[in-house]
Amino acid sequence: SDLKLCVDSELNNPSRMEPYARFSGDSEGVVSGAAGVVAKCSDGYWWPSPACRDDVAGCIPLITGGNGWRIQALMQWATAYDMPLAVGVAKAWGDYVNLISSKRVLFYWWVPDSTFIQMQPHQVHFPRHNPKEWALGDKKTSLATSDISNM
């Protein structure tokens, strides 16, 4: 597989998943174990959001990379805005680029990175960033923005 197992990513990190569970109210999307709360990935690779959990064939794949870049926010957005997403983490940078370039998927990306610029991706907009909520671990608003300029 070109994806990491959930247990090898931030989906298995209680410090990310506990705030997700607390602020989303999605008790079906996590499991509690001796180490704490972790994401429930029934197939081992994908975390399905509540909007498609009963019919995973209806989930839209969303790929992130690294060890799960912005995984908690991605999960909270999917849950808060009733998005039928299955979130997966690419195994390595090459897998991340290949999956996004060769499949019809949503993906986490940032600027000024130009890897996917030829694809002309569109940004999904969420309510304006709320730094107080983010500081508490509630990440349902958009990411903070910053200006990038040449000096």
Side-chain angles (χ1 to χ4, degrees):
S1 172
D2 295 336
L3 297 175
K4 288 185 178 187
L5 286 165
C6 292
V7 298
D8 296 329
S9 74
E10 291 291 305
L11 289 162
N12 198 50
N13 182 343
S15 70
R16 299 275 186 255
M17 296 302 109
E18 191 282 327
Y20 165 77
R22 181 167 19 110
F23 289 106
S24 71
D26 179 22
S27 60
E28 299 295 314
V30 295
V31 292
S32 295
V37 175
V38 298
K40 184 176 182 180
C41 303
S42 50
D43 73 347
Y45 295 93
W46 296 97
W47 173 85
S49 71
C52 62
R53 200 168 284 149
D54 292 334
D55 179 19
V56 292
C59 290
I60 299 165
L62 187 156
I63 306 293
T64 188
N67 204 34
W69 300 318
R70 296 291 183 196
I71 199 86
Q72 180 193 342
L74 296 171
M75 293 168 68
Q76 281 193 244
W77 293 330
T79 302
Y81 305 110
D82 201 30
M83 301 169 71
L85 303 177
V87 181
V89 181
K91 215 179 244 184
W93 176 254
D95 298 315
Y96 176 73
V97 172
N98 183 54
L99 284 166
I100 292 166
S101 299
S102 66
K103 309 286 184 195
R104 290 184 47 87
V105 298
L106 296 176
F107 56 97
Y108 175 76
W109 188 46
W110 60 94
V111 292
D113 180 75
S114 62
T115 304
F116 304 112
I117 202 75
Q118 295 300 320
M119 295 173 64
Q120 299 179 330
H122 296 276
Q123 183 176 0
V124 176
H125 294 275
F126 297 106
R128 181 183 295 264
H129 179 72
N130 184 320
K132 290 179 184 174
E133 289 179 354
W134 271 67
L136 295 172
D138 186 355
K139 299 182 178 182
K140 67 181 172 289
T141 60
S142 66
L143 295 170
T145 59
S146 57
D147 292 329
I148 299 171
S149 58
N150 251 342
M151 301 301 267

